[in-house]
Amino acid sequence: MTTASEDHPQSAVIQVASGPGNETRTCIPCAFKGMQNRRLILGARQKVTVSSAVSVEYNDALFLGEVMASRPDGDSGWQVEVGVEQILTGLESLIALRSRLLGESVSSTAALVTAHATK
């Protein structure tokens, strides 16, 4: 399967873990250039280290994988190829569900704190 949108690149975001054991992530804006087989082709303004575990947010999907190549791409920056291991779809509905669950959890916690504070 090959898809491409060379004329109108789509906005995407690459997320790279800052270091082992570190939950901080670096977000790199990029352009979705296409997908060939199980490889995402992205255009980024900065180099992404080969073999880095990354996630890529594009449209309503989250692609999980590893950087297979990162090479200069003329004036536009870097062409980054990500070998995709897993694709999660329906992000908008997952985010809404998470908000609803956290909202219920937060109100339950707030009730417990209020009850504890009045004793």
Side-chain angles (χ1 to χ4, degrees), residues 33 44-46 71-79:
K33 292 186 170 186
R45 292 274 176 209
Q46 68 187 70
R71 56 184 157 270
D73 188 20
D75 295 332
S76 65
W78 295 84
Q79 178 173 307

Side-chain angles (χ1 to χ4, degrees), residues 5-64:
S5 57
E6 298 287 330
D7 296 336
H8 303 289
Q10 300 291 326
S11 171
V13 176
I14 301 169
Q15 292 185 17
V16 185
S18 296
N22 188 347
E23 293 186 24
T24 305
R25 294 189 168 267
T26 301
C27 293
I28 302 168
C30 63
F32 176 84
K33 292 186 170 186
M35 186 166 188
Q36 296 177 334
N37 299 323
R38 300 229 4 125
R39 282 194 181 205
L40 283 176
I41 312 299
L42 307 165
R45 292 274 176 209
Q46 68 187 70
K47 182 178 181 177
V48 182
T49 306
V50 173
S51 297
S52 297
V54 297
S55 62
V56 178
E57 292 180 30
Y58 173 66
N59 281 343
D60 194 29
L62 181 68
F63 298 85
L64 305 175

